[in-house]
Amino acid sequence: MSQGKDKYHQQAQQTKRQFFLSTGLAIFAFVFLYLWLDWGLIISLILSIGIYLGIYYYTQPAPLYEDLEAIRNKYDGELYDLFMEATEEMARIEELSQAQREAGIQAYSQEIVATGWNILKFLEKNPKKISQSRHFLTYYLPTTRELLANYSQLQAAGLTDRRLQEVREDTQESCKLLAHLYQQQLDNYYQDQITQLEIENDLLEKTIQLGSDSLEE
């Protein structure tokens, strides 16, 4: 299961536990107050509802994308919506990839899916990069989905073997290119860190060499 789907599943499970815990304790409180302590129906109901609301609020899970919640408030939700639409696109791409039976296309599409979720994971932790990624998110993700969806439709369209082979080769080549572009996009996010690491490594090597020269003297 993809990282994006995992998050949705986890939050759904947390919400269910939150509801059952709040409801169970509220019912227990009502039975205890009304039947055991004989406090009266109205008072028992009011206190039980208060207990339910208090526990439900207290156990409410954290937002699915905490950093993005802050960005949504700051930018009127535009970047948040962009990210969530991209997440939905990746989920559809993953479904199309899993349904693919052509080995070459499947291999490249799986590579696309893995890199795509890593890109979204990076953007989740670095939401200010979402704006810079707009073209990639709004062009390459829908293009990938359309490419895989069109090939699946053409497979079922009854094309001649020769024509289907041509379409298969073109689709596989396009998937190969997209896999490269996805990886390039991910690498670009870390380029500054890579450059800084290279500078630090060069400085470390020079320092070590300087120390070695001093010892030899």
Side-chain angles (χ1 to χ4, degrees), residues 1-162:
M1 184 177 288
S2 68
Q3 295 167 349
K5 287 184 178 180
D6 281 342
K7 291 200 170 197
Y8 286 119
H9 179 70
Q10 289 170 5
Q11 186 155 34
Q13 292 298 108
Q14 289 175 355
T15 302
K16 286 181 181 179
R17 288 194 295 268
Q18 175 191 16
F19 171 77
F20 287 123
L21 177 63
S22 303
T23 303
L25 290 176
I27 292 173
F28 174 80
F30 175 77
V31 171
F32 179 77
L33 294 172
Y34 181 63
L35 299 179
W36 186 263
L37 297 182
D38 196 23
W39 275 24
L41 180 61
I42 302 301
I43 295 177
S44 299
L45 278 174
I46 292 174
L47 290 174
S48 298
I49 292 172
I51 290 172
Y52 170 82
L53 293 175
I55 295 174
Y56 190 87
Y57 177 80
Y58 182 77
T59 58
Q60 188 169 0
L64 186 59
Y65 299 102
E66 295 183 23
D67 293 336
L68 290 168
E69 287 288 347
I71 293 298
R72 177 171 63 176
N73 295 332
K74 184 177 180 180
Y75 294 99
D76 298 325
E78 197 273 337
L79 294 183
Y80 179 90
D81 291 342
L82 177 61
F83 179 87
M84 296 309 296
E85 288 170 6
T87 302
E88 293 172 1
E89 284 284 14
M90 274 308 308
R92 290 193 286 267
I93 291 170
E94 184 171 31
E95 290 174 359
L96 289 166
S97 174
Q98 291 174 345
Q100 184 54 243
R101 293 294 176 265
E102 177 61 35
I105 296 175
Q106 184 185 57
Y108 285 121
S109 66
Q110 287 177 345
E111 184 178 341
I112 288 170
V113 168
T115 309
W117 284 122
N118 283 334
I119 288 171
L120 294 181
K121 182 179 179 181
F122 175 88
L123 293 177
E124 177 190 350
K125 295 180 178 179
N126 303 273
K128 292 182 180 180
K129 296 286 187 180
I130 294 174
S131 181
Q132 302 173 20
S133 310
R134 185 184 303 275
H135 178 68
F136 177 82
L137 298 176
T138 59
Y139 177 76
Y140 286 105
L141 295 188
T143 297
T144 304
R145 172 180 50 77
E146 291 173 6
L147 177 69
L148 294 175
N150 288 342
Y151 180 70
S152 296
Q153 293 173 1
L154 290 173
Q155 279 184 306
L159 300 178
T160 63
D161 291 342
R162 179 178 178 181

